[in-house]
Amino acid sequence: MATTHVLFSLLLMLCSIFLLPAWYAHPLQSCNLDQIYQLGDSISDTGNLIRESTFGAASPFARLPYGETFFKTATGRCSNGLLMIDYLAMAAGLPLLNPFKNTDAIFRHGANFAVAGSTALPTEILAVKNISSPVTGSSLSVQLDWMFTHFNSICYDERDCVEKLKNSLFFVGEIGGNDYKYALFQGKSMEEVKSMVPEIVEAIMDAVRRVIQYGAVRVVVPGNFPIGCFPIYLTGFKTNDLSAYDENHCLKALNSFSMYHNDCLQKAIEGLKQEYPNAIIVYGDHYNAFQWLLHEASNQGFDATSLQKACCGIGGDNNFSLARMCGAPEVPVCGEPNRLISWDGVQLTQEAYKVMAGKLIDDTLPQLQCMA
C-alpha cells in the first residue's frame, strides 16, 4: 500500500511537469529541500477537511466537479485541480504533499496540515466575539498540535528534530482570511473586523515561533489576497456607489482592509526576524501576486472579459450565489476553466494557482538564501 502511494505521488509530479512553463522547471531545487510542511486553510488543503469529520466528507470538496481538471476525481482540494502548494512542491522536485489526515499516506517529504474553512483564532475565541466558524474547528492551533504530534513520532529528541528539519520549508498560512470572512458575512462592521487584526497577526506569529523552536529554518508567511476582487465579496457587498470600486472593479474598502492586515503582518515579521536572527522568515506576497495576475491576465491566457466570474457557479454579474454554490445540484461549470481566474467564487482555478505560484517563487526565492 505504501509503495502504491509513493508511486502515485511521483506519477502526479511527473505528469504535472508538463503543466509548467519552460522557465518554471524545479526552481526551488537550489534550496535542496527534503520536506515541505504546510499550515493553512482552503487555499492549501489537499484533503484534510474531507477526512476529519462526517461534515467534511459530505462537503462539495469531496465530490466532482472539484478536482475534475487534473485528478479526474475529488481529492479535497478546493479547486478544479492543483493548488499553489502542489506547484511549489513540484518546483522543489518533491512529491505532492499528502494531507495529515490520510492515515495511509507517506510523509517522508513533509505533510500538509491545512484545513479548508479553518481560522487563525481558535473557534472558542471567535465565539466570544459572537463569530461562528461553520466549517471546521481545526484552527491554526489545532493544526500546530497535529504537526507536533507528527514530529514527536519521527524525532528521537529535540536535537534529532533540528537535524531532520534543517532542509525543510514551512508555510504558515495563508491563514486568517476566514476569520475576517466569517465576521463580515455575519454582520460585523469593518471597524469591528479591523480590530481583530492585531490578535490574528499575533496568532500567526506565535505559530511561526513554535515551528522555529521545533527546528524550522526557512519559513514563508503568506499575506491575504485582495479580497475585494473576489466574486464572493463582490456579490455579498455589491453596491450602486461606483466610487466604491477601483479601476479593476474591485471593492476598494475591502482591498484596503487586506492591505492593512498585510502591513501589520509584515511589520510583525520584521520584529520576529530580530527575535530569531538565525531563521529565514519570508513574507509571501499573495496580494501583489494576485494584482499582477489581474493586470497580466490576457498575456497569461485568461479571458479578460471574465476575470471576476466564477467558473463553477450561477447567477449575477460574477456567476456566483451564496445560496447555490459550486457543487450544488444543477450548478454549471464553464467549458474552459483554464481561461478563468476564479474557480468557485472563493478559490482560484488550477491555472490561476499555477501562475500565482510562479510569481511567488520568483519573488521569494532570492529571500530564501538558497545555494545558487
Side-chain angles (χ1 to χ4, degrees):
M1 178 67 74
T3 302
T4 302
H5 281 290
V6 171
L7 290 175
F8 180 65
S9 186
L10 287 172
L11 180 62
L12 287 178
M13 181 180 74
L14 291 171
C15 292
S16 301
I17 290 171
F18 294 102
L19 297 175
L20 303 175
W23 56 266
Y24 188 86
H26 299 156
L28 287 177
Q29 278 195 325
S30 62
C31 295
N32 295 314
L33 298 174
D34 295 328
Q35 306 102 11
I36 295 177
Y37 294 98
Q38 173 78 60
L39 300 157
D41 56 23
S42 61
I43 295 167
S44 308
D45 185 359
T46 56
N48 283 314
L49 177 68
I50 67 171
R51 289 176 170 86
E52 73 166 6
S53 66
T54 302
F55 175 81
S59 74
F61 313 136
R63 59 181 183 269
L64 295 172
Y66 286 88
E68 68 174 17
T69 298
F70 182 74
F71 298 96
K72 310 305 178 186
T73 187
T75 64
R77 288 169 173 81
C78 304
S79 180
N80 59 311
L82 298 167
L83 307 178
M84 278 190 285
I85 186 57
D86 294 317
Y87 286 108
L88 292 164
M90 288 187 288
L94 298 176
L96 305 187
L97 290 190
N98 286 313
F100 178 68
K101 286 295 184 178
N102 182 354
T103 55
D104 294 326
I106 300 296
F107 299 109
R108 188 174 298 118
H109 296 289
N112 193 328
F113 303 92
V115 183
S118 64
T119 54
L121 298 180
T123 53
E124 57 269 22
I125 291 180
L126 290 173
V128 171
K129 303 177 188 294
N130 293 315
I131 300 168
S132 66
S133 182
V135 179
T136 178
S138 299
S139 63
L140 182 56
S141 61
V142 173
Q143 294 175 34
L144 284 164
D145 289 343
W146 293 348
M147 177 179 281
F148 300 130
T149 296
H150 172 65
F151 289 155
N152 286 333
S153 73
I154 66 171
C155 300
Y156 295 115
D157 53 29
E158 185 176 324
R159 179 177 293 182
D160 184 48
C161 247
V162 169
E163 181 65 23
K164 280 187 166 70
L165 298 178
K166 67 180 181 181
N167 293 322
S168 298
L169 179 62
F170 286 73
F171 289 91
V172 180
E174 188 274 333
I175 193 79
N178 285 324
D179 303 60
Y180 303 136
K181 180 172 67 179
Y182 298 151
L184 287 166
F185 279 94
Q186 291 171 31
K188 300 296 183 183
S189 69
M190 185 60 76
E191 290 72 24
E192 289 175 303
V193 179
K194 193 172 182 179
S195 70
M196 296 168 60
V197 171
E199 193 173 2
I200 287 172
V201 168
E202 187 56 32
I204 297 170
M205 292 302 99
D206 283 344
V208 177
R209 288 186 184 95
R210 288 185 67 183
V211 299
I212 290 173
Q213 288 164 3
Y214 228 88
V217 177
R218 290 184 174 90
V219 185
V220 177
V221 187
N224 205 348
F225 284 85
I227 60 174
C229 300
F230 280 51
I232 182 174
Y233 287 99
L234 288 166
T235 300
F237 298 95
K238 184 178 180 180
T239 176
N240 292 323
D241 180 9
L242 297 180
S243 67
Y245 298 90
D246 64 15
E247 67 277 9
N248 295 316
H249 198 70
C250 301
L251 286 161
K252 291 190 287 189
L254 288 169
N255 280 0
S256 293
F257 171 76
S258 292
M259 286 190 286
Y260 174 68
H261 166 88
N262 292 340
D263 287 344
C264 292
L265 187 66
Q266 289 177 81
K267 289 175 183 175
I269 289 171
E270 289 305 311
L272 213 57
K273 287 180 180 179
Q274 302 300 315
E275 193 175 335
Y276 296 98
N278 294 323
I280 299 167
I281 311 169
V282 178
Y283 172 69
D285 196 350
H286 282 181
Y287 188 98
N288 283 309
F290 187 85
Q291 291 286 33
W292 177 87
L293 171 60
L294 279 184
H295 294 148
E296 295 294 321
S298 295
N299 295 331
Q300 297 294 326
F302 294 99
D303 180 0
T305 66
S306 302
L307 297 183
Q308 292 166 330
K309 290 184 178 180
C311 170
C312 180
I314 190 169
D317 296 336
N318 305 105
N319 202 36
F320 176 84
S321 168
L322 280 169
R324 295 182 63 195
M325 295 179 69
C326 182
E330 299 181 9
V331 173
V333 178
C334 67
E336 296 182 284
N338 64 328
R339 298 269 291 150
L340 271 72
I341 289 175
S342 177
W343 164 243
D344 59 4
V346 184
Q347 290 92 11
L348 308 188
T349 59
Q350 170 179 276
E351 189 68 16
Y353 279 138
K354 180 182 77 175
V355 175
M356 284 274 297
K359 179 63 174 171
L360 287 167
I361 289 172
D362 215 24
D363 292 342
T364 59
L365 182 57
Q367 302 176 63
L368 289 174
Q369 302 177 28
C370 300
M371 297 294 292

